[in-house]
Amino acid sequence: MANDVHQIKLGNSVSFNKEVKIGRPKVRGIDIMRDPILNKGMAFTLEERQLLGIHGLLPPALMDQDAEVFQVMQNFYRWNDDLDRFIFLMCLQDRSEKLFYRVVTENIEQMMPIIYTPTVGLACQKYGMVFRKPRGIYITIHDIGHVYDILCNWPIDDVKAIVVTDGERILGLGDLGAYGMGIPIGKLSLYTACAGVQPHHCLPIMIDVGTNSENIRNDPLYIGLRQPREAGENYNNLIDEFMCAVVRRFGKNCLIQFEDFGNQNAFRLLENYRDRYCTFNDDIQGTAAVAVAGILSSLLITKIPLEKNVFLFLGAGEASIGIARLLVQAITKTGQGLEQTLKQIWLIDSKGLLVKNRPSGGIEEEKLMFAKDHPPMENLEAIVESVKPTTIIGAAAVSGAFTERILAFLAKINKRPVVFALSNPTSKAECTAELAYTATEGRAVFASGSPFPAVTYKGQTLHPGQGNNAYIFPGMALAIIFADIRRVTENLFLAAAESLAKMVTNQHLSEGRLYPPLSTIRQVSLNLAEAVITFAYEHNLAFRYPRPSDIRSSLKEFIFSTDYDSYIPPVYDWPDYAHHHSSKK
Ligand SMILES: NC(=O)C1=CN([C@@H]2O[C@H](COP(=O)(O)OP(=O)(O)OC[C@H]3O[C@@H](n4cnc5c(N)ncnc54)[C@H](OP(=O)(O)O)[C@@H]3O)[C@@H](O)[C@H]2O)C=CC1
Ligand SMILES: CC(=O)C(=O)O
Ligand SMILES: [Mg+2]
């Protein structure tokens, strides 16, 4: 079937060939206007309106998608409140998927802080009020024995990626129970907006085992189970059943991204499943890759070789341990031994500096390798003065922990101190971009988990980078789905980190950025996916055969087009009709 191919501009610098697909949808009449996957709003042509039986159900004007985008943006700007913008965009997603993704993709710098951190955090906290229409699947602890049946209720068979949470650690906001569903939905929106993963391949899932937040359980609008969190054997059985049911329903190559699980479950489940399922934990592994990429970029500014740096983490949880582990891999790759490398990586948890002989006793297994032979210390300022880090990384959700004094001290001992305030949302950041720059006389090399606006310091405008796993997981998922990668190894994340770091130019660095601008995220994700796929084929991790001869162009064909499909069958689809007509003449 001949397709009408034309070009559409995406973001500031990306342009992909887009094919207008032609096909007769199974749904017609008013149902097609109610289906967000098929709905074209005012952009149904006159012929389509007549053919599909919706003529007269729309106002008579005919618009194209550009006019619809204009209309959406006019509405978007009218709202003064980000939560209102969030609700508006969710309603758009429920109305017209293609329009939603076109708007979000083309305006990613404006839209990401709404559909993702920080606003998604607020939306989760108020999810009962925000909730309009269900999206994805809710599985509860009472569904043990029936998980597969629930997955069968999902109307699409072709699911290739799931983002799942149990809501125990939503951003740095704690246990939000079923209100945490905003996170898998937001993450999967970024799969498509940032990397072009087909939305119908994506499925958000909430595993509701209760919540330990009494406030939420007593919220009259709460959408989840009003019971304390279930743990232990029942919890494990449910997750085990869920993993098996996903494979049975969607196949063994369906990616399962774990998101915002509580610390203990996150590490435990990753270890349990990483070698048996197509899975990764975004908070541990995705965060690791984005942070290591930022660290690699920072070396170009500090001019200190990777293996000569001293790293201090505030936090020794999923994010920090994930980063520290991948950092070990990156540093040892330079040839430096493990023992020396570990001497340069220090962590702090809620009990203070991570040391071997703790008065409080045992250390969790994942922290053990980083524990030092050192007297216990608790005060952050004193620890910073003692450890003298070149790079300080915050991932403890302790808002404002990097004080002016700490930052000034870092600037005293480093020409260019590297400061990562990774905690989300913005209210949990260890310091603001402004404080990082002003307290260090503009010398800080800074990145944050949630976005901060540019800061002008003594005439120089600095753009803080967003050290968020959103630079990794969409491209990583695209690679996994495209190349049929079935085990997501640490080396794939290191390949992703190295690929992301390579995309940072001198121009970016001179603007203060440790990552390419978000406006180029489509290009970034595509490059990253290509690098990961290439690595996967080289290391026998990709099962798609034959290997595409041109991975990049195959990837471009694979990704989602925001162009509307045409629902008018071409004349040459009906040869008998044409023949009958001409023979009558
Ligand atoms: N930018 C990004 O892409 C990402 C950012 N994050 C953010 O990082 C933060 C932490 O997430 P995550 O690591 O998953 O959470 P975890 O709960 O796994 O870890 C939190 C860590 O912080 C420690 N901690 C808590 N309070 C203090 C304190 N007062 N002083 C020192 N340490 C403290 C905890 O100590 P203990 O071990 O003793 O309990 C724990 O080690 C969140 O805000 C999250 O949003 C997470 C993932 C990605
Ligand atoms: C970004 C992210 O995954 C988090 O803050 O949990
Ligand atoms: Mg997360």
Side-chain angles (χ1 to χ4, degrees):
M1 186 184 292
N3 280 329
D4 178 12
V5 178
H6 71 270
Q7 291 255 310
I8 181 170
K9 198 111 171 86
L10 278 179
N12 287 346
S13 57
V14 199
S15 99
F16 294 120
N17 278 319
K18 296 276 165 177
E19 291 188 359
V20 174
K21 289 200 198 110
I22 300 167
R24 271 168 280 189
K26 290 198 182 102
V27 186
R28 65 189 306 280
I30 198 156
D31 289 343
I32 200 166
M33 293 163 59
R34 289 181 177 153
D35 184 334
I37 296 177
L38 300 172
N39 186 22
K40 298 166 73 164
M42 292 287 286
F44 283 105
T45 63
L46 188 57
E47 292 92 324
E48 284 173 335
R49 293 175 190 205
Q50 288 169 341
L51 193 85
L52 297 168
I54 55 172
H55 187 58
L57 304 186
L58 284 164
L62 302 171
M63 288 187 185
D64 61 10
Q65 201 185 54
D66 290 350
E68 291 184 303
V69 170
F70 178 71
Q71 199 251 10
V72 168
M73 292 310 291
Q74 292 292 302
N75 275 277
F76 182 81
Y77 292 130
R78 277 192 67 243
W79 298 107
N80 291 318
D81 178 73
D82 282 344
L83 197 57
D84 288 334
R85 293 192 173 115
F86 178 91
I87 295 170
F88 171 68
L89 288 174
M90 289 307 100
C91 291
L92 175 62
Q93 190 175 20
D94 286 337
R95 204 166 67 235
S96 173
E97 210 168 67
K98 294 230 174 201
L99 187 57
F100 169 77
Y101 281 115
R102 165 113 187 250
V103 165
V104 172
T105 306
E106 282 187 359
N107 303 282
I108 195 79
E109 280 180 313
Q110 266 170 299
M111 299 294 163
M112 235 169 90
I114 308 296
I115 64 168
Y116 193 56
T117 183
T119 310
V120 74
L122 182 61
C124 285
Q125 288 173 305
K126 295 177 181 285
Y127 212 63
M129 186 271 287
V130 163
F131 185 82
R132 298 288 185 279
K133 221 179 155 191
R135 175 173 284 271
I137 289 183
Y138 292 80
I139 296 166
T140 80
I141 192 74
H142 306 304
D143 294 320
I144 288 188
H146 305 283
V147 176
Y148 174 73
D149 298 333
I150 294 176
L151 294 185
C152 287
N153 289 340
W154 187 247
I156 299 170
D157 295 335
D158 201 15
V159 170
K160 295 193 183 298
I162 287 168
V163 175
V164 61
T165 189
D166 70 356
E168 191 174 3
R169 197 283 281 143
I170 294 299
L171 306 178
L173 301 169
D175 183 355
L176 301 189
Y179 275 176
M181 184 53 149
I183 293 293
I185 292 175
K187 292 269 174 183
L188 285 169
S189 295
L190 297 196
Y191 267 41
T192 303
C194 298
V197 174
Q198 300 282 344
H200 72 275
H201 285 161
C202 301
L203 173 57
I205 296 188
M206 155 58 58
I207 295 191
D208 185 355
V209 296
T211 171
N212 290 339
S213 161
E214 220 177 304
N215 276 347
I216 290 184
R217 288 203 305 261
N218 292 331
D219 176 348
L221 299 180
Y222 186 49
I223 60 168
L225 294 181
R226 291 172 197 273
Q227 64 172 62
R229 204 164 261 286
E230 181 103 21
E233 206 179 335
N234 272 354
Y235 178 91
N236 293 342
N237 289 343
L238 178 65
I239 303 285
D240 239 11
E241 186 183 334
F242 165 72
M243 299 301 281
C244 295
V246 167
V247 169
R248 188 172 160 208
R249 170 78 174 101
F250 301 118
K252 60 177 177 287
N253 50 359
C254 178
L255 167 65
I256 305 170
Q257 171 175 330
F258 279 74
E259 194 67 51
D260 289 9
F261 278 70
N263 178 292
Q264 286 185 15
N265 287 329
F267 283 107
R268 204 170 50 82
L269 298 175
L270 178 61
E271 286 321 306
N272 260 351
Y273 297 126
R274 63 188 309 159
D275 296 327
R276 288 187 287 142
Y277 291 89
C278 179
T279 187
F280 69 88
N281 181 300
D282 183 41
D283 300 294
I284 300 173
Q285 297 167 289
T287 314
V290 77
V292 168
I295 289 166
L296 294 176
S297 306
S298 76
L299 308 178
L300 302 172
I301 299 174
T302 62
K303 312 279 187 224
I304 302 173
L306 179 62
E307 68 279 10
K308 300 278 180 231
N309 281 275
V310 176
F311 302 93
L312 176 63
F313 290 82
L314 182 67
E318 299 169 47
S320 299
I321 295 283
I323 302 166
R325 282 178 181 170
L326 198 65
L327 202 48
V328 167
Q329 233 177 297
I331 297 175
T332 48
K333 215 176 143 184
T334 67
Q336 178 167 285
L338 178 64
E339 200 183 333
Q340 177 56 35
T341 300
L342 289 174
K343 283 185 184 159
Q344 292 161 226
I345 300 177
W346 299 75
L347 287 90
I348 303 167
D349 65 11
S350 62
K351 298 181 186 121
L353 191 63
L354 190 55
V355 294
K356 280 184 183 150
N357 293 319
R358 278 197 146 160
S360 56
I363 296 174
E364 294 84 339
E365 202 180 321
E366 68 275 0
K367 294 178 184 171
L368 267 178
M369 75 186 286
F370 299 105
K372 300 279 179 296
D373 276 316
H374 193 279
M377 289 181 86
E378 281 179 19
N379 181 279
L380 179 58
E381 227 174 276
I383 295 172
V384 171
E385 285 175 19
S386 161
V387 171
K388 298 187 179 57
T390 56
T391 300
I392 190 165
I393 298 164
V398 182
S399 155
F402 297 166
T403 59
E404 193 173 349
R405 273 173 71 111
I406 288 175
L407 293 163
F409 177 78
L410 290 172
K412 205 166 114 186
I413 58 166
N414 294 291
K415 237 179 175 168
R416 303 296 306 267
V418 181
V419 179
F420 284 8
L422 297 184
S423 293
N424 296 315
T426 319
S427 58
K428 299 289 177 184
E430 287 72 16
C431 65
T432 62
E434 188 163 10
L435 185 65
Y437 294 130
T438 51
T440 60
E441 300 161 331
R443 286 186 280 125
V445 179
F446 179 78
S448 55
S450 295
F452 278 105
V455 175
T456 302
Y457 180 80
K458 295 198 172 158
Q460 196 195 358
T461 300
L462 298 157
H463 298 264
Q466 191 174 346
N468 193 294
N469 48 33
Y471 271 100
I472 301 293
F473 68 79
M476 181 61 94
L478 176 64
I480 292 167
I481 296 168
F482 174 88
D484 193 3
I485 295 169
R486 299 185 189 171
R487 296 292 171 268
V488 194
T489 65
E490 293 303 313
N491 283 338
L492 288 174
F493 283 98
L494 190 54
E498 288 170 352
S499 142
L500 179 56
K502 274 193 202 128
M503 290 179 234
V504 178
T505 63
N506 286 336
Q507 171 71 23
H508 298 146
L509 296 172
S510 69
E511 292 167 356
R513 300 179 197 274
L514 288 177
Y515 302 99
L518 259 187
S519 56
T520 62
I521 189 75
R522 284 295 283 256
Q523 195 71 58
V524 167
S525 300
L526 199 66
N527 293 345
L528 187 144
E530 192 183 357
V532 169
I533 291 165
T534 306
F535 183 93
Y537 274 111
E538 281 165 6
H539 294 82
N540 297 323
L541 292 167
F543 284 80
R544 177 185 170 138
Y545 286 106
R547 176 184 173 151
S549 55
D550 182 346
I551 290 172
R552 196 174 186 81
S553 60
S554 303
L555 265 176
K556 283 185 185 175
E557 276 168 28
F558 188 72
I559 61 177
F560 180 63
S561 163
T562 55
D563 288 355
Y564 288 135
D565 296 337
S566 167
Y567 299 139
I568 301 294
V571 172
Y572 44 81
D573 226 6
W574 301 349
D576 290 340
Y577 173 81
H579 175 74
H580 180 70
H581 233 67
S582 58
S583 62
K584 258 191 163 182
K585 275 192 178 170

